[in-house]
Amino acid sequence: MRLDPVGRLLKLPPVLTGRVRVTKGIPVRMRDGAILRADHYGPALDAELPTVLVRTPYGRGAPTNLLCRAVAQRGFNVLIQSCRGTADSGGTFEPLLQEREDGLDTLDWLRLQRWYDGRLLTYGPSYVGFVQWALAAEAGDELKAMATIVTASDFGPPTYAGGAFSLDTVLTWSAILDAQRGARLDNAVELLRGQPRLQRGLARVPLAEADRITTGAEIEFFQRWLAEADPTSAYWTQRGHTHTLPKVTAPVLMIGGWYDIFLPWQLNDYAALRAAGAQPHLTVGPWHHGSAGLFQHSAAEAVAWFRAHTGGPERIREHPVRVHVGGTGAWRDLPEWPPTGSQSQRWYLHRDAALSPVPAPDGERLDGFTYDPKQPTPALGGPRLIGKISGRRDNRPLEDRPDVLTFTSAPLTEPLEVVGPVSADITVHATRARPAGAAPRAAEGVPSFDVFVRLCEVDEQDRSWNICDGLARATAPETDAAPDGTGQVVRVELWPTAYRFAAGRRIRVQVSGGAHPRFSRNPGTGAPLGHELELRAVRQELLAPSSINLPVLASEPAPPSSSQPAGQSSNVEGPTSV
């Protein structure tokens, strides 16, 4: 009996061979002469085998090398390559820029290898998923299947989520890349101390100094991303691949998480593929970006997906979309996303912190708070890059703050299943906050402010659990001479969700002025990113009508799958359903 601890842990199919030949540090020449290094895992099988290509900026060591060996044991050649300027690959790493050319050059090199049989598969999460999109449209018929995990085809929109700046994601990722080049002992000490340099960088004002505080040096791409704050600019268009999605012909498997930083844009990619006539498969689970469950599940589903598209015994599941429904522990199979069975249901914010399907009188003052960028409202859980601070959290510590408003429904008399996109329309009158002790004066408008909205479920112990959320950076109207008592409607697109509120539970909506450092603080001055030299508090008065829009399933579109992970459910059409 072969020892296969990794395969058992990841719930992979049985091994076909225990012997795998590993060739490390293979030089692969790019068109400009740069040498990128790669490792080849070749199974000892007397057969032509497809090749799984993994291109990564995170090195080729554990745990990735263990996964590569386990996949090779299932009948695949695996080539893992370090991206330009990372690990021992030559050239300079400029995020996003050269992945298309380097991917195509690597494919040209593969065609010259005796073990390459012309069947290409690509795999990987996050940046390793982005590089798949960089290659996909021009790989031709050789690309037999893709497995893209918690990623997007364009990193511009996620970088400026809601019109703000995804500070935590960008600076934390910068620190991770920098740590890979540093001494292991120094990095270990920094981690054990709770990454104090990163925490100081996240708190730094102005943002232009955050990279130097975190890493000790200026990071070129961090500074450029502060300057290129428009995701539709030529800079981001050159580096994104959304425009190539209609040209992708390979079958695409997309795996995401309800608390993942890329989820809204990954679902936009899904919609773009569908609009182009493709039939991508989509799985969304109860995961954040670094979930162990995501790693396990994505490996198992990807291997099954690859085998199904290269002559294996696996069968494609009937419904292409499978989502985990929070509050139930079950999975639901759907023909498409978002499900056509969802119906919009508005819940309105009221005075006295109430939430109801009945509208409040137009213009009624609901409540107010002061957002002070010198002491920004903190982020708690939700979509974050680092797992230990991500996901579902008891929000009561956050809701105890005076700069966080909550609006809560009566206990539900029957379950409410919310599946699909969630949005909020908040009517806000924003003015400069008057310093304590200052004499009253006419209200002064502000150039911009942020509105953060979070949907929560309150259980029988009064614990408030976050389900989904989002932020919008609002620009004041052309004229700020509107009289007191009038406001502007701010549309906030929350992360989509699939969640079943149980009978007896309550729906809660939070409203605040930020979630730092997940989103960069709004300085209240209109200053561009990186130039927050002055911080001014903003008073936000919430007015009716203000509401959250929930996509409620009016009928059962398909029976729920079992509570087992997707790909391992009882709804199987053969040895494995993918």
Side-chain angles (χ1 to χ4, degrees):
M1 182 176 179
R2 298 185 179 114
L3 295 176
D4 184 30
V6 175
R8 290 198 303 272
L9 177 66
L10 299 180
K11 300 181 181 179
L12 299 180
V15 299
L16 299 179
T17 178
R19 295 178 53 211
V20 174
R21 297 183 296 269
V22 182
T23 307
K24 295 189 175 183
I26 303 170
V28 182
R29 182 178 295 275
M30 301 293 103
R31 65 189 67 183
D32 64 351
I35 300 297
L36 308 191
R37 297 287 174 175
D39 300 339
H40 174 226
Y41 293 75
L45 292 171
D46 186 19
E48 291 188 343
L49 302 172
T51 296
V52 179
L53 174 63
V54 180
R55 303 192 60 251
T56 175
Y58 304 120
R60 306 191 301 279
T64 307
N65 59 345
L66 302 177
L67 175 61
C68 291
R69 181 181 293 273
V71 171
Q73 289 176 317
R74 271 77 189 169
F76 299 94
N77 286 295
V78 179
L79 185 77
I80 178 171
Q81 180 187 66
S82 291
C83 291
R84 173 183 296 261
T86 68
D88 53 352
S89 284
T92 301
F93 180 63
E94 183 176 344
L96 315 173
L97 181 61
Q98 291 177 281
E99 304 304 351
R100 171 188 167 275
E101 290 83 358
D102 289 351
L104 292 173
D105 290 351
T106 301
L107 179 55
D108 284 343
W109 177 87
L110 275 172
R111 293 177 179 129
L112 302 177
Q113 308 310 305
R114 59 177 179 76
W115 43 265
Y116 179 68
D117 74 348
R119 292 181 293 170
L120 178 69
L121 307 163
T122 59
Y123 170 86
S126 196
Y127 194 93
V128 189
F130 171 85
V131 301
Q132 295 183 63
W133 290 123
L135 169 71
E138 297 177 68
D141 293 340
E142 285 176 77
L143 184 57
K144 301 304 180 184
M146 303 168 60
T148 63
I149 302 153
V150 291
T151 191
S153 62
D154 188 342
F155 277 14
T159 299
Y160 309 99
F165 181 62
S166 299
L167 172 61
D168 176 67
T169 295
V170 176
L171 191 61
T172 302
W173 190 60
S174 301
I176 291 170
L177 293 175
D178 180 74
Q180 290 182 167
R181 297 188 292 268
R184 290 187 177 182
L185 179 58
D186 291 345
N187 295 331
V189 170
E190 178 74 4
L191 285 170
L192 289 172
R193 294 174 60 202
Q195 294 181 284
R197 290 182 297 176
L198 173 60
Q199 300 309 315
R200 289 195 297 270
L202 292 170
R204 188 68 171 186
V205 177
L207 279 181
E209 299 175 0
D211 53 348
R212 291 189 292 272
I213 295 297
T214 301
T215 68
E218 185 174 283
I219 299 173
E220 192 277 334
F221 77 82
F222 181 85
Q223 295 293 324
R224 189 66 183 271
W225 291 6
L226 291 178
E228 297 284 352
D230 178 4
T232 65
S233 69
Y235 174 90
W236 286 106
T237 300
Q238 181 186 14
R239 289 159 174 78
H241 303 285
T242 300
H243 65 285
T244 69
L245 293 183
K247 301 177 183 178
V248 176
T249 59
V252 180
L253 171 66
M254 312 177 85
I255 301 177
W258 293 126
Y259 297 96
D260 179 55
I261 57 176
F262 289 116
L263 178 64
W265 301 278
Q266 186 172 30
L267 294 178
N268 287 347
D269 288 343
Y270 167 87
L273 290 169
R274 291 282 288 139
Q279 184 67 280
H281 274 223
L282 172 68
T283 299
V284 187
W287 307 305
H288 51 72
H289 200 69
S291 292
L294 169 68
F295 178 74
Q296 179 274 318
H297 175 86
S298 60
E301 190 167 356
V303 169
W305 180 254
F306 291 157
R307 284 161 59 101
H309 288 284
T310 54
E314 285 75 7
R315 298 292 181 267
I316 303 300
R317 66 191 183 218
E318 177 184 358
H319 294 289
V321 176
R322 179 168 287 169
V323 299
H324 182 273
V325 182
T328 68
W331 295 81
R332 184 177 293 283
D333 287 346
L334 302 167
E336 60 183 340
W337 181 269
T340 55
S342 291
Q343 295 181 0
S344 175
Q345 187 177 109
R346 283 195 178 273
W347 288 70
Y348 293 88
L349 283 55
H350 285 256
R351 296 179 61 182
D352 303 321
L355 183 71
S356 167
V358 179
D362 282 3
E364 181 178 62
R365 181 187 180 277
L366 306 176
D367 207 340
F369 64 91
T370 298
Y371 174 78
D372 185 356
K374 295 178 182 177
Q375 297 178 312
T377 313
L380 176 63
R384 304 284 294 274
L385 184 61
I386 301 300
K388 66 181 181 180
I389 57 175
S390 303
R392 279 169 59 85
R393 294 288 188 274
D394 182 354
N395 274 235
R396 286 178 295 180
L398 182 63
E399 294 168 355
D400 284 340
R401 291 176 58 97
D403 55 358
V404 178
L405 303 181
T406 61
F407 301 85
T408 309
S409 74
L412 296 172
T413 58
E414 58 185 23
L416 186 74
E417 190 160 336
V418 177
V419 183
V422 180
S423 62
D425 292 299
I426 307 299
T427 304
V428 184
H429 182 69
T431 57
R432 297 285 187 205
R434 192 180 61 200
R441 62 181 180 181
E444 181 185 353
V446 294
S448 75
F449 57 94
D450 292 349
V451 178
F452 178 78
V453 178
R454 170 169 278 181
L455 175 66
C456 298
E457 180 185 55
V458 181
D459 65 19
E460 292 80 0
Q461 289 76 44
D462 287 330
R463 295 173 299 187
S464 179
W465 301 100
N466 55 297
I467 296 170
C468 61
D469 52 44
L471 177 140
R473 178 151 293 185
T475 301
E478 297 256 340
T479 173
D480 57 11
D484 289 347
T486 64
Q488 64 185 96
V489 178
V490 179
R491 166 59 66 94
V492 182
E493 301 289 347
L494 284 68
W495 261 232
T497 192
Y499 195 89
R500 186 178 180 89
F501 290 86
R505 301 287 178 91
R506 291 172 288 161
I507 304 171
R508 175 167 291 170
V509 173
Q510 291 179 18
V511 182
S512 62
H516 185 269
R518 178 177 158 197
F519 302 98
S520 59
R521 74 188 88 200
N522 191 317
T525 62
L529 281 173
H531 299 273
E532 306 85 357
L533 301 179
E534 180 185 9
L535 302 177
R536 300 189 66 176
V538 173
R539 180 70 183 176
Q540 293 191 31
E541 300 290 344
L542 270 57
L543 308 172
S546 290
S547 63
I548 190 166
N549 187 28
L550 303 181
V552 176
L553 280 185
S555 60
E556 299 285 315
S561 305
S562 77
S563 59
Q564 298 174 352
Q568 306 292 326
S569 77
S570 58
N571 183 19
V572 172
E573 298 180 28
T576 305
S577 174
V578 298

